[in-house]
Every structure is written in C-alpha cells, then in structure tokens.
Amino acid sequence: MKFTEGMWRIREGIRIDWMNNVERLSIENETVDLLLNKFQRHRGDTLNSATVSAQVTSPLEGIIGVKLVHWAGGIGKGPHYELTTSTGHTQISHEENQALHYRSGGLDLAVTTAPNELDFVFSACSNSNNNNNNNRKLTGHSWRSIGYIGDQTTEKSRWDDGIFFERQGYMLAALDLGVGEKLYGLGERFGPFVKNGQTVDIWNEDGGTSSELAYKNIPFYLSSAGYGVFVNHPGKVSLELQSERTTRVNISVPGEELEYFVIYGDSPKAILERYTALTGRPSLVPAWSYNLWLTTSFTTNYDEQTVTGFLDGFRDREIPLGVFHFDCFWMKSYQWCDFEFDSAMFPDAAGYIKRLKERGLRISVWLNPYVGQASPLFKEGKEKGYFIKRTDGTVWQWDYWQAGMAIVDFTNPAARTWFQHHLRRLLDLGVDSFKTDFGERIPYRNVTYFDETIDPTRMHNYYTLTFNELCYTTLLHHHPDNIDPTTHETTNKSGAVLFARSTAAGGQKFPIHWGGDCESTYEAMAESLRGCLSLSLSGFIFWASDIGGFEGTPPPDVYKRWVQFGLLSTHSRLHGSHSFRVPWIYGEDCSVVLRDCVKRKIALTPYLLRSALEGGRRGTPVMRPLLLEFPHDKNAWSVDTVYMLGGDLLVAPVFSKEGVVEFYVPDTKEGGEWVSWFDHSRKYQGGRWYTETHGFETLPLLIRPGAVVPVNFQLTKPEDEPLSGLEVLVNGDIPGVVEVEVVDPVRAHEVRKVVRVRKEEGGVVKADVEGVKVTVIQ
C-alpha cells in the first residue's frame, strides 16, 4: 500500500510518525527490547507523539526477527502461524549510546543507538567474531523506514469525534535494497517472475492464472543478495517491491504491530532450508501420486458409463493411468457438499469404486468447505452451530457458487469432528485422496467464529490451512501404516495426498497443490510455469497444473505441448472445465504423445522420489528455477521459461505452435557438456542460449554434466519395486564415488538402498549393487 507521493510528499489524509531515535533498551536472555521515538531535540519532544517498541529475537540460527508494536493494548487475536523455535544460538553486545550487535549464526543485526541516528543493518557475518567492519550488508532500515501510519480517509475517521478523532492505523517497515538486487517468491504468482517494481498484496483470491490475484499468497520473499524475509502475519500484508521507493521494499499491515524475520543463507537453497525449518518442512507423498491423474472435468455431463468408457480407452491404447478423479458433479447440483454420490449417475457408488480399484486405480473426489442450502447437511450444521456466523448470530450465507451456501467453521472442534466424519465415510468407500478446492472466498467483515479469539481478517488467508490440515490428517490417520502401534499417534510413514488449490505460509506440510484455473493457451501454460517457480521459492516442493488448460478447449498442438510439460511436473493431471481431456478427442496422435510422456515419467520415478526426499529434508523444490541450482550464473536469475526437474534435468517447455523454443542452458561452474535426453549426440555448452524446433515427440530435456540419474524403464507404475531393472545414466566425468539413494515407493521418506557409483581405473563406471545397470553417455 502506498502512503507517499514521491520522496517529499505524503498522500493527503495520511500522517506518518517516523522513528529516528533509540530512547532506551533492555537485554534479557536472548531478547532485546528497544523503545523507538521521533527525533529528540529536548525533553518536550517526548510528549504528544507516538513511540514504537521493537523486540529483537532469533527463533532459529541464522534468522533474526524484529517485532514492531505501536499500541500494545490489543488482545492479540489469532490465528498465528506455527513456527519452530530454539534457543542458545545468539550473541549480543552493546556499546552504550553507540551500537547494539545481535548475532545469530552467520547473521548480524547492528542497531545504531547513538542519539537521533536510528539505523538497522542486517549483515552476513565475517569469519571474525570481533570485527563487524568486514560484514557484508544484506538489508536494513535507513532514514525514515520505521513508522506508524494514521489514515483519516477511511470510514473509521469521524470529524465530530473531536479530540478523540480516530485514524486507521498501519505499521510500516521499509527494508533497503542494493544495486541490482532482485526479489522472488511471495507464493504462486503468475505475473513477472522477478518481483521488483510490483505491488503485491498477500490476500488469497480466486482470480484465475492470468491476473495479479493469487490463490497461494505467502508473505516470504527471497533476495538475490543472500537473504529472505518472512512477514509473520496471517492477514493482509502489502508489499511495495521497489514500486514506491526504488531503493526499498515497503511492508505494511493494518493495525498496531508487524513482525518480520530476516533469514540468511549463503545460497538460495540454504535460505529455503532455514525458511522451511521455521515454518515447517514439506511433507512427502507416496509414489502412486506421481502417476497420471484423469478427471471427469468440471461441468461436463458424465455418469458411470462415461467414466468406464474413458478408462477402457486408456487401457486399449496402453496409456498408463494411476488415479481417477471425480470432480464437483459427483454430488447432486446445489448440494455441495453433502459427501454423497449422485445416485442418478452412480446408482451403486460403493460397487463402482470397488471395480475401479480392481483396475489398479486410486480414487480422488472433489471437496470444498462450503455447504449449500439444499444439502441435507445444511440444517444440521445450522442447528449445531457448525458454520461461520454473522455478528447478529445468523449463519453467513451467499449465492455466489452454491445457492445459500454456508462455510464450515473449523475453529469449532465439534464442526471439525462432523466434517471429518463425512470424510471418513468416503475413505471407507475406497477414496484415496481429496481435491480440496476453494478456501479463498472467506468473508472477513461482520462475521464471527466459534473461537472468539479469532480475528476474521487474519483468518481470511489462514482459513485454507485449517481446511487442508483437517483433510490431510484425516487421510494420514486412515492408513494403518501411519498409526504408531505404541502411542497410537499419527505418523507420516506412508504419507497422504491432497490436490489443493489455495494455501498460506506453512501449507507445504499438506501437499500437493495445483495451479488453479488457467486458459487453454500457450500464454496460460507459460504463466502457470511462472506461478510454479514463484511457489517453489516459497517453501513448496510439489506442483501440478491442469494439463491442456482449464478454461476453453485446447487446440491439439496446445494439448500435446502441455502434456509434455505436465508430465515433466511433479504431479500430472488431465483436467478441464466444460470439455474432457482424454487424448483421442484431440486426435489419436495425442494419445501417442501422452503414452510416451507418461511412460517416460514413470521411468523417472526413482529420480523424482530422490529429488522429493531432498525437498523433504531441506525444502528444496523438485521443480526448480535455474537460479536455485546455479546461483553463480547471473543470467540464470531472470529465466522463467526453463526449469530444473531435480538437480540434474533441465526442461524447456515448448510455447509455440511452430515448435520453436528458445532456451538458456546455465553455466555449471564445473564445466562439461549438457546432453539431450532424446539424442545423446546433441550436446550443449553452458552459459548460452539456444533456439531449436521440435516435433511433438521431443522437447529440450537435457542431462546435466556430471549427473548420475537413476531411472527404471521396466516400471509399469511408480509404486513398483524400484531395484529390479534400476539403471543409472551417467553424463561425463563424476568425482570419486556418487551415492544414489533409492527411495521406498510406499514410504517415501525412507531410503530402500544406497547405490554407490564409482569410476574405476581405465574409465569404467560401475555400481556396487548387483543388477544395477550403468549407462555412460558418450
């Protein structure tokens, strides 16, 4: 939100109390409390003006938080993000009336405490613990960058209140930017990948993929200067990223307090590792979820015969299929959600699901947290107080989606149990996964929750976490392998799989997420990839898109190109709005392309599971922007049409009807040549752009120099035994011994076997596990 007009003027109706001085401070254990005030000329300046209390803490090593509070008299309403914290990793020193140094690991915060010289500087520490002059500045607060805003242009301000005239308050913290510094992340955003120059509001909305609105707003950005910033606020956070002041990121929130954390790392991967240590490590999913998903699409007409025909078509064409998804109209219209299959379409739902599972399919069904007035569950929910209410005590309802729909209040334990009961009914039928749709359209004005400590505005973004968490943990608990036999507590041995659209910070614990409603065009495919790459720099390791596009019907060329891209994503789902996405509708050549792409992805299962395991340990996404893998290559920091799938495969989707693709191959630092997956005679030098034309059988899919890629071309589905038929592809020279972890396809966080690949005398490369084939790419 902009409060100024250029460098000199403040917007009409806006008042800013700038902090320029440290009045006093105290140090207790690992916490520093500072009292900030305006420029002080004499003791009279302490009167009739605002102060801001600044509390400095460190939740984890390498992370420093600053909490800024104007008025502390509020009741601290929730919700609050769940953060991991520890102690014993800070060093604090203070030279009175000069400077305070607060150090956590490799991160130092220097606060100037000399009179009227307020300054915050976050720096990467030098090797010496005593020499702060050699630190490298990351960011900080320079002149007029901490302030309290009073806005008298809102309905809150009434002139007839006289001396008690009120203003809408905002806390403002402006963080410095350096020359050439670039910013990334902030959730799944479909606009420009580099966020400089943009205004971003962290506020979940259902806006499709071709607008500035986003389903997945994460108040975390990553900087090319070697740090990240997480704003610990679940409500609306406004960021002016070099868009109000060209040398700053201006962060503002409505209300009386703002807390942010600066997260240091010597690489982008290290920053994500610390960020996900703070907000939660990504959960892993079982191997079967990596197979192809097929849906009924949204508003299409379908019944049991239609679905069976689709499945027979996949079988007859030998196209592997792992999951079938029933979208909204598996339930009767106007009754979403009642958790009951429409008997007109599926007269024997239990029997039909059993027959589908006999085909080897997993089953997914669509859900949302809304209950239409026509649903048999509406009356029960109303009578028992299971819905969000208006402040007058009535149920909050509207007609925008389902007529008269209400929203389940997950702050009510009884409502959670009620909702969970209906989820379990579906699981008992044989359902394996839930598509948790919506969760963005959550009212925040004139509403109240069962938990009266909840602020509806702060709940707007957070609501989707409560929805996804409940569905995810219900899935976990339903699998007996996830129940500890001793404690009877839920574990995560076998994992669980959602297909979620909206989320908030920490949502990486409840995977997976897909990119929302996109059009059936090349432009939409490209914007979907940008959304994926931004989300991947926000702590999320899995992602999918609606292959072929959701809105509209894709031309055959778009369908085939999206199939190539979608089957080189972590998760792959054919889904549309008013038209089906079975390939033969678009031509039998589309069936051929789909079959080849699915089989290639299944063969890559050992590689994908190993890449995901890294993500679960460190927060490194499977689909990675080039900058994450090659931070030393400055050209890589602006590329958003090419990505790494894991650490060793480069993917350049084709975004043109003619098959022309322009793509950048990054400099690997170690040298060596990249090699085409399809034609090993095609080699590429790093640090160069290439232009090629591809038919629908290929695309630029390159193997990194020095890569050791585990594959298995004998797999018929991802959950098959991985060691039988395991092969490792080796591109060029490898240093010493390379350990390849073979992940258990059922328990995706466990390593079944470690295969050691070694280059012996004479240049022969061998694996230490019998039966594992080694293929050296010449």
Side-chain angles (χ1 to χ4, degrees):
M1 185 172 182
K2 294 182 174 71
F3 299 105
T4 62
E5 295 176 351
M7 290 181 63
W8 320 122
R9 283 181 50 81
I10 297 174
R11 264 183 38 215
E12 291 295 330
I14 299 295
R15 184 180 75 185
I16 304 180
D17 292 311
W18 294 114
M19 300 298 107
N20 295 298
N21 180 63
V22 176
E23 179 70 13
R24 61 180 69 97
L25 65 85
S26 64
I27 302 172
E28 184 175 350
N29 297 325
E30 298 181 33
T31 300
V32 175
D33 287 295
L34 303 140
L35 182 63
L36 311 180
N37 56 6
K38 71 176 185 180
F39 190 91
Q40 297 294 298
R41 299 163 299 175
H42 47 69
R43 297 186 73 177
D45 284 334
T46 64
L47 304 175
N48 303 315
S49 63
T51 62
V52 169
S53 300
Q55 186 176 78
V56 181
T57 58
S58 177
L60 296 173
E61 183 175 338
I63 303 176
I64 295 177
V66 177
K67 185 173 184 178
L68 303 169
V69 178
H70 174 234
W71 287 337
I75 59 177
K77 283 196 169 186
H80 305 280
Y81 287 129
E82 295 180 1
L83 304 181
T84 303
T85 62
S86 66
T87 58
H89 50 263
T90 60
Q91 302 172 43
I92 305 172
S93 62
H94 178 220
E95 185 179 353
E96 192 169 352
N97 292 324
Q98 291 299 319
L100 169 94
H101 278 277
Y102 189 103
R103 180 168 294 190
S104 175
L107 180 63
D108 179 81
L109 169 60
V111 181
T112 302
T113 59
N116 296 321
E117 297 292 337
L118 178 63
D119 193 37
F120 283 51
V121 177
F122 292 91
S123 301
C125 298
S126 63
N127 293 327
S128 168
N129 287 330
N130 301 316
N131 187 359
N132 294 310
N133 294 325
N134 293 329
N135 291 353
R136 176 176 63 87
K137 179 178 178 179
L138 301 173
T139 187
H141 297 298
S142 49
W143 185 68
R144 287 193 170 182
S145 58
I146 297 176
Y148 180 72
I149 311 295
D151 182 356
Q152 66 185 46
T153 65
T154 74
E155 60 187 21
K156 187 174 184 177
S157 298
R158 297 175 56 88
W159 291 106
D160 55 2
D161 286 344
I163 192 173
F164 300 108
F165 177 85
E166 292 191 50
R167 296 173 175 84
Q168 173 61 53
Y170 298 86
M171 286 302 306
L172 171 67
L175 288 167
D176 297 337
L177 293 173
V179 176
E181 186 174 345
K182 292 181 172 60
L183 307 171
Y184 305 85
L186 296 171
E188 184 191 42
R189 316 207 77 81
F190 304 104
F193 178 51
V194 180
K195 300 300 182 285
N196 299 61
Q198 298 183 41
T199 296
V200 173
D201 287 334
I202 303 300
W203 191 250
N204 285 0
E205 299 275 11
D206 174 12
T209 66
S210 60
S211 76
E212 64 180 5
L213 304 180
Y215 304 97
K216 307 170 186 65
N217 287 269
I218 312 298
F220 169 76
Y221 65 84
L222 186 147
S223 166
S224 63
Y227 68 94
V229 174
F230 171 58
V231 184
N232 185 25
H233 193 291
K236 190 170 189 176
V237 179
S238 180
L239 298 102
E240 298 291 343
L241 301 122
Q242 221 174 15
S243 50
E244 184 174 14
R245 289 293 300 275
T246 59
T247 56
R248 293 177 179 172
V249 174
N250 286 3
I251 305 169
S252 63
V253 297
E256 304 299 313
E257 64 180 56
L258 184 160
E259 183 175 33
Y260 68 86
F261 295 96
V262 173
I263 304 171
Y264 169 67
D266 58 9
S267 69
K269 284 185 181 180
I271 296 167
L272 285 181
E273 183 172 9
R274 283 203 170 106
Y275 169 71
T276 55
L278 180 67
T279 60
R281 292 284 191 228
S283 298
L284 300 180
V285 294
W288 60 261
S289 69
Y290 292 84
N291 208 336
L292 180 63
W293 297 47
L294 173 66
T295 85
T296 58
S297 290
F298 172 32
T299 60
T300 53
N301 291 317
Y302 62 87
D303 55 16
E304 182 175 322
Q305 183 178 0
T306 310
V307 172
T308 301
F310 289 160
L311 299 179
D312 290 344
F314 272 77
R315 180 200 60 202
D316 296 344
R317 292 167 177 82
E318 298 181 339
I319 302 173
L321 184 65
V323 184
F324 189 81
H325 168 74
F326 293 90
D327 215 55
C328 311
F329 281 97
W330 68 274
M331 294 177 282
K332 288 184 179 179
S333 58
Y334 296 111
Q335 294 187 193
W336 308 338
C337 285
D338 65 359
F339 306 95
E340 297 285 350
F341 275 84
D342 186 345
S343 58
M345 297 191 302
F346 302 99
D348 177 20
Y352 189 54
I353 289 176
K354 182 181 178 181
R355 292 191 292 276
L356 293 182
K357 295 183 80 70
E358 288 171 351
R359 289 176 174 248
L361 292 169
R362 303 281 180 160
I363 304 301
S364 168
V365 295
W366 176 96
L367 299 172
N368 63 204
Y370 311 140
V371 178
Q373 187 167 285
S375 168
L377 301 182
F378 180 86
K379 182 179 179 181
E380 180 183 1
K382 173 189 173 184
E383 291 175 350
K384 294 185 177 180
Y386 292 162
F387 300 137
I388 295 173
K389 294 181 179 179
R390 299 185 187 275
T391 52
D392 64 5
T394 61
V395 173
W396 187 93
Q397 292 180 263
W398 71 348
D399 293 330
Y400 192 46
W401 183 241
Q402 289 291 280
M405 62 167 242
I407 302 177
V408 178
D409 181 355
F410 292 119
T411 74
N412 183 342
R416 290 173 62 88
T417 300
W418 177 67
F419 197 86
Q420 197 169 45
H421 163 73
H422 292 291
L423 297 180
R424 286 174 177 152
R425 287 198 297 106
L426 294 172
L427 296 178
D428 290 340
L429 276 178
V431 170
D432 300 283
S433 177
F434 302 127
K435 173 182 171 180
T436 51
D437 205 354
F438 287 84
E440 313 93 354
R441 297 177 180 177
I442 306 302
Y444 59 97
R445 289 180 177 165
N446 303 317
V447 296
T448 184
Y449 284 85
F450 175 86
D451 182 348
E452 295 179 353
T453 69
I454 294 297
D455 177 347
T457 303
R458 292 170 65 94
M459 192 64 173
H460 171 83
N461 291 339
Y462 196 91
Y463 180 91
T464 184
L465 284 184
T466 67
F467 174 40
N468 287 332
E469 182 268 340
L470 181 65
C471 295
Y472 183 82
T473 55
T474 303
L475 285 165
L476 274 184
H477 195 79
H478 191 263
H479 197 296
D481 202 26
N482 290 323
I483 306 300
D484 189 299
T486 304
T487 64
H488 302 289
E489 293 181 352
T490 303
T491 66
N492 198 15
K493 288 183 178 179
S494 295
V497 183
L498 299 180
F499 224 88
R501 186 170 77 172
S502 60
T503 191
Q508 64 268 13
K509 294 178 288 187
F510 316 120
I512 57 176
H513 297 83
W514 99 95
D517 299 348
C518 48
E519 296 174 322
S520 299
T521 65
Y522 287 115
E523 291 78 12
M525 194 166 99
E527 73 198 12
S528 294
L529 175 57
R530 292 196 299 271
C532 163
L533 298 182
S534 288
L535 187 67
S536 76
L537 292 177
S538 306
F540 291 75
I541 67 172
F542 300 120
W543 181 86
S545 61
D546 289 341
I547 295 176
F550 178 73
E551 296 289 352
T553 300
D557 57 297
V558 171
Y559 181 91
K560 287 180 281 191
R561 293 305 184 190
W562 211 314
V563 161
Q564 290 181 322
F565 166 49
L567 270 299
L568 287 170
S569 302
T570 69
H571 289 80
S572 310
R573 185 182 68 159
L574 295 164
H575 183 60
S577 178
H578 60 267
S579 55
F580 296 116
R581 291 291 178 266
V582 292
W584 52 88
I585 289 177
Y586 306 93
E588 285 299 342
D589 57 330
C590 295
S591 299
V592 174
V593 172
L594 180 61
R595 180 174 59 244
D596 290 346
C597 290
V598 178
K599 288 185 174 182
R600 178 170 57 248
K601 186 181 182 187
I602 292 174
L604 282 168
T605 299
Y607 175 73
L608 293 171
L609 290 176
R610 186 188 70 171
S611 301
L613 185 64
E614 178 187 359
R617 290 169 175 168
R618 299 189 57 197
T620 305
V622 180
M623 299 174 72
R624 308 172 185 177
L626 298 187
L627 68 89
L628 202 61
E629 203 64 43
F630 309 98
H632 62 278
D633 184 346
K634 298 303 180 185
N635 293 316
W637 286 82
S638 59
V639 177
D640 61 7
T641 54
V642 179
Y643 64 96
M644 296 295 294
L645 183 65
D648 291 326
L649 295 179
L650 179 145
V651 183
V654 179
F655 297 113
S656 71
K657 184 175 183 178
E658 299 76 19
V660 176
V661 54
E662 190 174 14
F663 59 99
Y664 181 70
V665 178
D667 172 20
T668 62
K669 210 174 193 178
E670 297 83 10
E673 293 180 312
W674 296 73
V675 175
S676 168
W677 172 278
F678 299 98
D679 181 357
H680 294 169
S681 68
R682 296 186 68 91
K683 301 182 185 297
Y684 303 81
Q685 294 294 326
R688 292 181 54 187
W689 284 89
Y690 292 84
T691 301
E692 295 180 348
T693 301
H694 283 260
F696 295 109
E697 301 79 20
T698 63
L699 76 163
L701 174 59
L702 310 186
I703 305 173
R704 181 178 184 166
V708 178
V709 181
V711 296
N712 191 328
F713 294 99
Q714 293 183 19
L715 299 179
T716 59
K717 53 185 182 296
E719 59 267 38
D720 284 347
E721 167 57 46
L723 287 168
S724 178
L726 186 67
E727 178 180 355
V728 290
L729 307 178
V730 179
N731 179 22
D733 248 354
I734 58 173
V737 177
V738 176
E739 293 189 345
V740 178
E741 294 178 313
V742 181
V743 177
D744 190 311
V746 176
R747 299 183 174 186
H749 67 293
E750 294 183 6
V751 175
R752 173 79 64 83
K753 191 82 173 178
V754 176
V755 178
R756 293 170 177 84
V757 181
R758 181 195 311 271
K759 186 174 183 180
E760 300 183 344
E761 291 185 14
V764 178
V765 182
K766 291 186 177 180
D768 70 345
V769 176
E770 186 176 352
V772 175
K773 179 182 177 183
V774 176
T775 300
V776 179
I777 299 171
Q778 303 293 342

